[in-house]
Amino acid sequence: MENNGRRKFLGVCLAGASAAAAAAAVYPVFRYLAPRSDQQGSNKVEFAESDLPAGEAKFFEYAGSSAVLVKTSAGAVVALSAVCTHLGCIVQWEKDKQDFLCPCHAGRYTPDGTVVSGPPPRPLAKIPVSVANGKITVG
Amino acid sequence: MALIKRLYNWLDLRIGAKEIVEQELTGYLLPRNINEWYSLGSVLLVIFTLQVVTGLLLLVYYVPDAEKAFKSVTYIMNELPYGWLIRLCHAVGSNMMVAVLIMHMLSTLFMKSYKSPRELNWLTGFLLFTLVQGISLTGYLLPWSQLSFWATTVATNSAAAIPVVGPYLVEFLRGSKLVGPATLGRFFALHVGVIPAVIAGLIGAHLFCLKRTGISTPPFGDQVETGSHWNPEHYRYESHPGGIPFFPNYALQDLTSIGVYFAVFLAVVFFAPNLLFTPDAFIPANAFQTPAHIKPEWYFLANYQTLKIFPSELLGLSVQAAAMTFLALLPFIDRSPERNPFKRPLFLVCFFGGFLLWVGLSVWGHYS
Ligand code: HEM
Ligand code: FES
């Protein structure tokens, strides 16, 4: 019986050492392949207000994802995530209709991101934006 | 434990797992006087696997473009988490593979296991050796550093000594008159695509021959018949009735050797990471500036020095070609059935003399 206990103990040691070695190999590989957080763009973006005429939209990269800035014909400035809430396509600005169309499954949003028609379940996510001294600051 | 047993039974009922284990592992008997040197083949299999895995990981970020290659390697080394580890494992591993390959070759040479009926084992092994040299040479260029660039220039240039076709051959190897972006393209394709596939195939052939012939009996010790009992009239599998089982006995030796290998390999990776890199390895390739001391990697130093000592490059090249051909065809040249090296004084002298000559030339090449 004593012999069996020793066998078991050594078995557990061996299994433990193997698990530790496997973890020591897998962890660096995971870190090596993991997407890098410091690459995801800066968190504040600035534009000159004159760059954005009323009724136009401007697409840009924000926090590693796509965002859009719109100035409605009424003159309000809105910043939205450009990622459609249905299956993640990027919405397009339709200047003539003054709305967003998602080309994937024809989801439609108003300039402030509210769903008008189509499959999107939620409005486009809002991004904080402020206008001061002729500068638009997003984020 | 019980779960593993049940899973094993489940598998056995479907694919006859126990029969395979009985045939290939517990019932696969090896000569009683088998020694440590027979585990080097398993070590090589592990190294090759590791080279494939680390190579694929490097491919995720490496860019094979003359403008970007050096930058991408620097990025892997300095910025990616554990990129240095992956790259060092690949670079150090390639050198270790050549070293272990040489040991494996020397041991099968010394124990004369290349003799009939194992000529094909030796030949496939010899081809593997040249291909591993080839994969190291092509891989050396990829970081596109001063070291890679000029080592490749010198290495490819030696083919120019071949009469008539030499100069064209050099251009063909490089894909352009001088080493340049075209060279990187073809070396990259060879290094990550062509050569690994051929090596994998040859490893298969090497192991197939081993399986069909049966493992050789070491030619030492008392209970051994040292002469090959091979009968040239019939195919016969060399079995070892009453031998030790591969599993667990020899598998433990394989594991031990792999453990010792990892100790040495990781010691270099962690404690001497710059062993292989000269300062020129940290400078991007510059086609207009040859650095002062361009030397090939250690395992090519003997070839390098041989080229230098002969008055004509053609002569130096021919001598090397002759030596390689002699080694490749050794099983057909040395045909005596006696396998005990201690009963073959001439062989012993050639074996140690040849090895010392190779070491001597390498050391000379290093300091010249
Ligand atoms: C990628 C490189 C190689 C791998 C993965 C490899 C693998 C193996 C393995 C697993 C074995 C069986 C166990 C052993 O005796 O070690 C073996 C046997 C053998 N190898 Fe290799 N090998 C390689 C290269 C070479 C080279 C370069 C030579 C010599 C030119 C060679 C000659 C032999 C011989 C003659 C045997 C038979 C040994 C015997 O039956 O006693 N191998 N190899
Ligand atoms: S992804 Fe936009 S509507 Fe389907």
Side-chain angles (χ1 to χ4, degrees):
Chain A
M1 240 22 280
E2 195 186 53
N3 235 339
N4 238 341
R6 183 177 303 183
R7 179 172 278 242
K8 196 163 204 164
F9 174 73
L10 288 174
V12 168
C13 288
L14 185 67
S18 311
V26 169
Y27 177 72
V29 171
F30 171 73
R31 287 290 311 281
Y32 177 80
L33 290 174
R36 314 214 32 213
S37 46
D38 56 326
Q39 265 183 352
Q40 314 214 318
S42 69
N43 275 336
K44 267 208 188 344
V45 188
E46 279 195 355
F47 300 94
E49 208 185 350
S50 51
D51 278 357
L52 190 70
E56 300 263 2
K58 194 177 178 68
F59 287 82
F60 60 100
E61 218 184 281
Y62 177 77
S65 181
S66 289
V68 60
L69 202 57
V70 212
K71 192 185 267 178
T72 59
S73 25
V77 174
V78 190
L80 297 167
S81 156
V83 181
C84 177
T85 56
H86 179 221
L87 294 177
C89 294
I90 299 301
V91 297
Q92 310 289 310
W93 176 243
E94 296 191 300
K95 201 177 162 200
D96 49 341
K97 303 201 177 96
Q98 290 289 301
D99 72 0
F100 288 109
L101 166 67
C102 175
C104 287
H105 316 94
R108 260 177 214 288
Y109 302 86
T110 62
D112 69 355
T114 315
V115 181
V116 179
S117 63
R122 270 168 287 114
L124 293 172
K126 284 215 160 50
I127 299 169
V129 62
S130 61
V131 187
N133 313 329
K135 273 210 171 95
I136 306 176
T137 310
V138 182
Chain B
M1 261 356 219
L3 188 69
I4 295 177
K5 278 218 174 87
R6 272 177 56 193
L7 192 68
Y8 181 43
N9 276 333
W10 189 90
L11 265 179
D12 182 46
L13 286 175
R14 281 154 186 84
I15 57 167
K18 281 182 185 159
E19 191 181 302
I20 300 182
V21 166
E22 165 66 23
Q23 246 174 39
E24 308 292 333
L25 300 172
T26 52
Y28 175 32
L29 299 183
L30 307 174
R32 293 202 71 84
N33 65 339
I34 194 165
N35 55 42
E36 295 80 0
W37 296 95
Y38 282 69
S39 61
L40 289 178
S42 304
V43 177
L44 282 166
L45 285 176
V46 170
I47 304 179
F48 180 69
T49 311
L50 207 63
Q51 288 305 99
V52 172
V53 171
T54 52
L56 288 175
L57 286 171
L58 287 175
L59 266 186
V60 175
Y61 297 105
Y62 172 78
V63 186
D65 175 313
E67 298 288 321
K68 298 176 184 149
F70 185 82
K71 253 209 177 114
S72 68
V73 173
T74 312
Y75 175 73
I76 292 171
M77 284 297 276
N78 298 345
E79 282 172 58
L80 277 173
Y82 298 97
W84 58 271
L85 181 62
I86 310 275
R87 174 169 186 228
L88 281 174
C89 281
H90 198 73
V92 175
S94 73
N95 281 266
M96 298 295 273
M97 182 158 186
V98 176
V100 178
L101 209 52
I102 290 174
M103 286 163 63
H104 178 55
M105 225 170 138
L106 286 175
S107 73
T108 53
L109 187 62
F110 190 73
M111 297 189 278
K112 300 184 150 288
S113 30
Y114 55 84
K115 286 178 173 290
S116 313
R118 296 189 176 77
E119 298 94 328
L120 289 174
N121 240 314
W122 177 262
L123 273 178
T124 47
F126 192 85
L127 283 176
L128 278 169
F129 182 61
T130 54
L131 281 167
V132 168
Q133 288 188 323
I135 206 168
S136 306
L137 190 85
T138 48
Y140 210 48
L141 178 67
L142 304 188
W144 208 247
S145 68
Q146 277 290 72
L147 183 64
S148 0
F149 187 92
W150 294 99
T152 306
T153 298
V154 175
T156 46
N157 203 47
S158 52
I162 299 172
V164 191
V165 293
Y168 182 71
L169 185 61
V170 173
E171 197 176 327
F172 188 82
L173 285 173
R174 292 175 176 171
S176 47
K177 282 226 168 353
L178 298 176
V179 173
T183 322
L184 184 58
R186 54 189 58 208
F187 274 36
F188 178 71
L190 285 173
H191 184 80
V192 309
V194 182
I195 309 182
V198 181
I199 289 184
L202 273 170
I203 291 179
H206 195 68
L207 296 181
F208 176 78
C209 293
L210 180 86
K211 229 34 253 169
R212 295 300 296 166
T213 317
I215 201 107
S216 66
T217 309
F220 322 112
D222 19 286
Q223 85 270 56
V224 202
E225 1 77 74
T226 51
S228 166
H229 281 205
W230 181 61
N231 167 357
E233 303 292 318
H234 300 286
Y235 162 73
R236 182 177 73 95
Y237 174 78
E238 185 172 346
S239 58
H240 303 280
I244 59 168
F246 172 76
F247 187 88
N249 297 44
Y250 205 72
L252 195 60
Q253 173 63 57
D254 276 347
L255 270 184
T256 309
S257 301
I258 292 166
V260 171
Y261 168 76
F262 268 103
V264 176
F265 166 64
L266 292 177
V268 176
V269 168
F270 292 131
F271 300 111
N274 284 338
L275 193 65
L276 304 168
F277 300 120
T278 69
D280 289 321
F282 301 101
I283 303 170
N286 178 347
F288 297 106
Q289 198 172 62
T290 312
H293 307 285
I294 278 301
K295 289 275 168 73
E297 285 194 285
W298 61 270
Y299 44 86
F300 286 128
L301 282 174
N303 308 66
Y304 165 85
Q305 189 60 22
T306 310
L307 274 185
K308 287 211 318 201
I309 45 184
F310 282 95
S312 107
E313 284 215 327
L314 178 59
L315 202 60
L317 221 54
S318 312
V319 168
Q320 290 182 42
M324 289 297 268
T325 312
F326 175 77
L327 255 189
L329 299 182
L330 188 62
F332 306 99
I333 297 167
D334 171 15
R335 304 178 66 149
S336 127
E338 178 56 67
R339 285 187 46 219
N340 188 340
F342 300 110
K343 294 186 180 157
R344 303 281 312 278
L346 181 64
F347 169 82
L348 266 192
V349 170
C350 293
F351 178 85
F352 285 108
F355 182 62
L356 287 180
L357 180 68
W358 180 78
V359 173
L361 281 170
S362 304
V363 173
W364 189 7
H366 180 76
Y367 287 106
S368 67

